[in-house]
Amino acid sequence: MTAKNTGTMVAVRVRAEGNVDDEALAYVQSKVDALLDRPGVPLAGGEVRIAKAAAHHTARPWTAVAELVVRNTYVVVHAQEATAHELADRLQDRLRGQLTRVLHRYEAARRSATPPPWRGGEV
């Protein structure tokens, strides 16, 4: 049984730094949970930090940093956007791309684990 079937949650915490409202935090949490609850995605641990700049004249005041560990691989994703919803969407897209690369590398390494023909592997 996997952890998804037993009801335990994936250990990815979403944290707010600065003046971030609860609605924005909940939206980012839902996007991260939706991404990590897909079939084929292994358990991940880590944290996502969201911050809103105090200066109102910046073009993209919302920033996010996601630091996750997936299959012994450290994944870091940065995003900056003008609104919290755009930030969550951008973060989800970038995390999806990084997770796809990690899973592809893992599967490619598993397939190439057979020894070469000169070491007794299949011809």
Side-chain angles (χ1 to χ4, degrees), residues 3-86:
K4 292 177 186 168
N5 292 336
T6 60
T8 59
M9 292 300 296
V10 179
V12 175
R13 184 174 67 166
V14 177
R15 238 179 12 137
E17 295 177 354
N19 189 16
V20 177
D21 57 345
D22 292 335
E23 178 188 341
L25 196 61
Y27 188 70
V28 172
Q29 180 73 50
S30 69
K31 287 290 197 171
V32 170
D33 288 345
L35 178 67
L36 295 175
D37 285 342
R38 292 182 359 216
V41 175
L43 292 178
E47 141 179 296
V48 178
R49 290 186 308 274
I50 303 167
K52 183 178 179 186
H56 298 291
H57 63 277
T58 59
R60 296 185 292 179
W62 289 90
T63 60
V65 177
E67 297 175 346
L68 305 177
V69 177
V70 180
R71 291 197 193 262
N72 297 329
T73 302
Y74 188 63
V75 177
V76 178
V77 175
H78 298 270
Q80 280 188 329
E81 285 299 326
T83 66
H85 286 275
E86 291 174 2

Side-chain angles (χ1 to χ4, degrees), residues 103-120:
L103 296 175
H104 179 69
R105 264 188 264 139
Y106 177 76
E107 291 298 320
R110 279 189 44 205
R111 282 193 302 264
S112 66
T114 59
W118 59 87
R119 289 193 178 165

Side-chain angles (χ1 to χ4, degrees), residues 80-108:
Q80 280 188 329
E81 285 299 326
T83 66
H85 286 275
E86 291 174 2
L87 178 75
D89 295 339
R90 174 70 53 101
L91 186 68
Q92 185 183 29
D93 289 342
R94 289 186 177 176
L95 271 173
R96 182 181 300 120
Q98 290 292 333
L99 287 175
T100 302
R101 283 188 202 100
V102 167
L103 296 175
H104 179 69
R105 264 188 264 139
Y106 177 76
E107 291 298 320

